Amino acid sequence: MASFDDLVKRRGEIAAGRAPNRATLVLGDGTCGRASGSSEVRAALSEAISSLDTEKRLAFRTTGCHGFCQIEPNVQVLPDETLYVHVKPENAQSIVEAALSGKVLKNLTYKDGQKKSCAKITDVPFYKRQMRLLSGLNVYVDPLRIEDYIAIDGYQALAKALFTMTPDFVVEEVIKANLRGRGGGGFPAGWKWDSVRKAEGEPKYVVCNADEGDPGAYMDRSLLEGNPHLVIEGMLIGAFAIGSHEGYVYVRNEYPLAVQNLIVALDQAREHGLLGKNILGSGFDFDIRINRGGGAFVCGESSALMQSIEGRPGEPIPKYVHMSERGLYNKPTNLNNVETWANVPFIVNRGADWYRTIGTEGSKGTKIFSLVGNINNTGQVEVPMGISLREIVEGIGGGIPNRRKFKAVQTGGPSGGCLPADCLDVPVDFDQLTKLGSMMGSGGMIVMDEDSCMVDVARYFTNFLVEESCGKCVPCREGVMQLRDILNDITQGRGREGDVELMEDLSKVVIDCSLCALGQSAPNPLLTTIRYFRDEYVAHIHDKKCPARRCTALISFRIDAENCTGCALCKKQCPTVAIAGEKKKTHVIDPEKCIRCGACFEVCKFDAVIKE
Ligand SMILES: Cc1cc2nc3c(=O)[nH]c(=O)nc-3n(C[C@H](O)[C@H](O)[C@H](O)COP(=O)(O)O)c2cc1C
Ligand code: SF4
Ligand code: SF4
């Protein structure tokens, strides 16, 4: 395509080639779908469609993730928006027949908490309360077909920027929209673009951070895998605004499907005159290369990432000068997260004023979260900023399974914080989460139930950060390790009076003196658990008890004589032969032999095994 008109014409041709009322089957076929068997469903659906000779009446599209992990593999029927869940290959034929006759297969639809069938995707509580501005497009796009993206007005924003806006105007619009970086810090993207635009030096680089090393987070993977053109278009617009001609996507090597889909998307964009020289005949040149990540969490940190692209070990370096002035190869560089870039086409297409209508005063637009942990509906959730944590956990997530109580939600990835039930009604945005001692981070959200021990949770995240610290600076390398060791001691019953205060003091040093944000934010999980769950630290250290009965060294098992029927089930399960007793008589646990594995507790049907 060599002009704006060519893009419009191409869109028209694609639309003309599609029968408007033709039903379309859409299979979620991202990494998560494939892990649940979508490849087999894909083969079965293809066969069912070809055997029925229905291709003209029924279209079939494989796409990226639809967000609701627990219902994979799933199939949507458009335009009706019927949703089939946990689809098996043997369901393929009936799904095809139902789609052709306009019927709904009730047995394959989602059932809500009251076992009511939700036929349409919009009826499903998980989707009902979301605003899937970015991620909702996945359904319409086969990531391997640029035509699908063009059909939904893809590259329209790029053309609008190239032919109707000046670079300054684009930057102003992004500033006005108050788009804040979705990769962690929430820095306003427009201001960053502005300083790179004004910085001296050529070439200027545009980089997309798709490293996503946070445990349990997969927002960026899902966007890049499902709709790579949206990210490419955002980068193109940014490059035009900044005056850059070279871009990089730094993507996790552990995301093979995202890399594969991105390679195809870049090639197709080049073939269509949307990347490379003289884009759409505008005179603007820009191309993107892929750089596969070095495999460490710290490689996502901006300076480490640039070192890694340059072929050096991915370790942070001191930032005496801003990256916007001297970044990659010492040239002005603009680094933004995948989701940040994906927001840009919406701002250009619909305008900053429209964008500002979504969200809170300080945080505009939507945010994608990976909702995982002790929650009924796990998945990728996109909501307008300002929604309450309760709405996410209870409304969208469907609450806590097994009638357990909510205890905490960890937001912001490994260096975020744990927030208790008291914080559930707080509106979620960058500033509110920071005020509470946590952070938005990239969007990981881990829900914990009453059986979670908050000291152990702090130990887990601190340990993760010890292992991921690059070791370059002493406060982080030694300090975080000391914090982890004290937490280890506490959870193993060796906690000493004064440990909490010692950890608080040490945390201040680590925060103030570490070179990069990994160390500077590493004490967050620990500090928030002390702030909101101090009594659990006291119980561990002072009473040598774990209130959640999680820390093995601090719990014991005994058998209650009144409840024990002498069924001997526990005896059979015990791996250390710690349980003695004759059939139909009370059983007893020998504490010396007991390794506190909990097998007897799990297996007893009479609540006779007591964990304390
Ligand atoms: C240890 C560490 C890991 C990080 N990992 C990522 C990451 O995986 N993806 C990301 O976008 N930002 C990550 N960041 C934040 C980046 O350094 C940077 O702030 C961000 O990519 C800027 O983009 P944004 O302004 O669009 O958020 C990380 C920061 C630190 C300190
Ligand atoms: S703070 Fe930690 S991760 Fe960052 S440079 Fe220092 S040692 Fe490396
Ligand atoms: S906790 Fe494990 S080791 Fe101890 S008595 Fe029960 S089954 Fe045996």
Side-chain angles (χ1 to χ4, degrees):
M1 295 182 292
S3 67
F4 197 156
D5 287 347
D6 281 356
L7 177 67
V8 176
K9 199 169 136 214
R10 184 81 189 98
R11 195 181 310 131
E13 284 165 4
I14 296 166
R18 290 177 172 180
N21 298 323
R22 186 174 59 163
T24 304
L25 298 183
V26 182
L27 171 71
D29 195 27
T31 299
C32 38
R34 289 182 191 189
S36 310
S38 65
S39 301
E40 290 75 20
V41 176
R42 187 195 328 131
L45 282 170
S46 300
E47 201 188 312
I49 292 173
S50 56
S51 72
L52 283 174
D53 190 23
T54 56
E55 272 128 331
K56 288 201 180 73
R57 287 190 290 145
L58 189 68
F60 178 37
R61 180 157 62 229
T62 50
T63 66
C65 166
H66 298 165
F68 197 175
C69 304
Q70 257 163 267
I71 59 163
E72 303 267 15
N74 62 68
V75 173
Q76 279 189 54
V77 187
L78 297 178
D80 296 350
E81 298 192 322
T82 309
L83 176 71
Y84 294 128
V85 303
H86 301 302
V87 176
K88 296 189 179 64
E90 52 268 34
N91 304 131
Q93 192 79 25
S94 44
I95 289 178
V96 168
E97 284 164 11
L100 284 168
S101 60
K103 286 192 186 134
V104 172
L105 302 167
K106 258 194 152 182
N107 59 322
L108 290 181
T109 57
Y110 179 80
K111 312 288 178 307
D112 68 10
Q114 281 75 48
K115 306 272 175 254
K116 204 183 117 216
S117 159
C118 304
K120 282 179 187 274
I121 189 164
T122 41
D123 299 333
V124 177
F126 176 82
Y127 288 108
K128 234 186 214 169
R129 296 171 167 89
Q130 294 192 46
M131 184 176 189
R132 296 175 67 80
L133 186 69
L134 279 58
S135 46
L137 293 183
N138 274 12
V139 153
Y140 303 101
V141 177
D142 176 340
L144 301 181
R145 288 174 42 88
I146 193 171
E147 292 80 8
D148 285 358
Y149 186 64
I150 293 175
I152 54 162
D153 287 348
Y155 292 107
Q156 161 75 28
L158 170 69
K160 185 176 174 187
L162 290 179
F163 296 105
T164 70
M165 294 171 159
T166 62
D168 280 339
F169 187 83
V170 178
V171 174
E172 275 163 31
E173 203 65 0
V174 176
I175 291 175
K176 196 167 153 199
N178 195 12
L179 170 63
R180 295 177 67 173
R182 305 299 201 241
F187 189 80
W191 290 116
K192 205 193 280 185
W193 290 21
D194 193 48
S195 42
V196 182
R197 175 164 173 71
K198 288 179 181 151
E200 286 189 11
E202 288 289 336
K204 288 176 178 161
Y205 295 106
V206 154
V207 184
C208 172
N209 191 343
D211 201 45
E212 199 165 53
D214 304 22
Y218 51 99
M219 303 81 43
D220 295 346
R221 170 177 67 72
S222 192
L223 272 179
L224 211 52
E225 207 172 89
N227 197 357
H229 289 288
L230 183 66
V231 183
I232 296 171
E233 187 177 4
M235 289 179 73
L236 270 156
I237 295 167
F240 168 69
I242 287 160
S244 163
H245 305 293
E246 289 179 52
Y248 287 87
V249 178
Y250 187 87
V251 53
R252 256 188 108 141
N253 203 24
E254 295 85 348
Y255 283 174
L257 190 60
V259 174
Q260 186 189 313
N261 290 358
L262 187 61
I263 291 173
V264 173
L266 290 172
D267 283 346
Q268 291 184 350
R270 273 182 215 110
E271 281 161 22
H272 283 73
L274 294 159
L275 266 184
K277 297 257 173 247
N278 193 20
I279 291 166
L280 290 177
S282 65
F284 170 61
D285 305 335
F286 180 68
D287 212 333
I288 298 174
R289 279 183 229 179
I290 297 175
N291 202 292
R292 296 182 196 218
F297 173 64
V298 77
C299 284
E301 192 277 339
S302 54
S303 62
L305 181 147
M306 290 183 203
Q307 293 284 303
S308 177
I309 295 182
E310 289 176 19
R312 281 189 263 269
E315 289 175 1
I317 51 167
K319 293 174 203 159
Y320 301 120
V321 184
H322 281 300
M323 298 276 155
S324 48
E325 285 168 43
R326 261 189 271 157
L328 192 58
Y329 302 111
N330 266 330
K331 300 292 178 192
T333 303
N334 189 92
L335 173 72
N336 277 124
N337 165 261
V338 172
E339 196 182 328
T340 315
W341 288 119
N343 271 282
V344 173
F346 291 93
I347 294 170
V348 171
N349 254 341
R350 305 193 195 178
D353 288 335
W354 168 82
Y355 192 79
R356 288 179 65 82
T357 60
I358 311 164
T360 60
E361 189 48 38
S363 306
K364 298 295 177 194
T366 59
K367 177 76 194 95
I368 308 179
F369 293 101
S370 298
L371 188 61
V372 296
N374 303 129
I375 187 96
N376 274 314
N377 306 330
T378 53
Q380 198 202 72
V381 168
E382 184 175 351
V383 285
M385 300 267 196
I387 191 170
S388 69
L389 275 169
R390 188 184 299 285
E391 191 68 358
I392 299 179
V393 172
E394 292 174 4
I396 298 169
I400 317 297
N402 305 322
R403 297 198 187 146
R404 298 271 200 285
K405 278 198 206 122
F406 169 90
K407 183 159 194 181
V409 55
Q410 208 267 356
T411 73
S415 36
C418 298
L419 304 175
D422 289 353
C423 299
L424 276 178
D425 292 312
V426 165
V428 177
D429 73 8
F430 284 104
D431 309 317
Q432 291 292 339
L433 289 179
T434 311
K435 259 191 216 159
L436 296 171
S438 186
M439 58 182 183
M440 181 80 84
S442 54
M445 206 174 254
I446 305 172
V447 179
M448 290 170 253
D449 70 14
E450 57 188 312
D451 290 345
S452 310
C453 165
M454 301 317 288
V455 184
D456 192 47
V457 166
R459 187 201 55 79
Y460 169 82
F461 285 111
T462 312
N463 188 50
F464 174 86
L465 293 164
V466 168
E467 284 173 11
E468 294 298 328
S469 162
C470 81
K472 195 169 176 171
C473 64
V474 179
C476 171
R477 187 183 64 227
E478 300 295 331
V480 185
M481 196 163 66
Q482 291 301 328
L483 292 174
R484 190 269 319 264
D485 289 350
I486 300 172
L487 285 165
N488 259 344
D489 280 350
I490 297 175
T491 53
Q492 285 171 15
R494 297 190 299 270
R496 290 176 299 188
E497 299 295 333
D499 272 355
V500 171
E501 293 72 19
L502 177 64
M503 286 192 294
E504 284 174 325
D505 287 347
L506 185 51
S507 293
K508 278 188 204 137
V509 179
V510 173
I511 292 168
D512 290 344
C513 306
S514 291
L515 175 62
C516 87
L518 187 147
Q520 288 156 12
S521 57
N524 275 353
L526 163 70
L527 292 176
T528 46
T529 49
I530 294 177
R531 179 165 162 185
Y532 297 114
F533 302 94
R534 202 177 183 106
D535 53 335
E536 292 199 24
Y537 282 88
V538 174
H540 280 74
I541 296 168
H542 194 265
D543 311 330
K544 303 288 179 238
K545 291 267 176 224
C546 172
R549 297 175 303 166
R550 195 94 199 162
C551 297
T552 331
L554 299 177
I555 53 173
S556 59
F557 290 88
R558 69 177 170 85
I559 294 178
D560 178 58
E562 267 189 27
N563 284 351
C564 179
T565 61
C567 74
L569 215 57
C570 59
K571 194 172 162 185
K572 279 189 207 133
Q573 288 294 320
C574 179
T576 58
V577 202
I579 303 178
E582 288 173 37
K583 263 217 149 179
K584 297 195 179 158
K585 290 202 176 143
T586 306
H587 283 48
V588 185
I589 296 176
D590 178 351
E592 293 297 315
K593 288 187 189 164
C594 174
I595 54 163
R596 304 176 189 104
C597 70
C600 51
F601 179 78
E602 297 296 330
V603 86
C604 181
K605 291 182 182 139
F606 305 99
D607 291 333
V609 180
I610 314 285
K611 189 184 190 185
E612 53 194 11

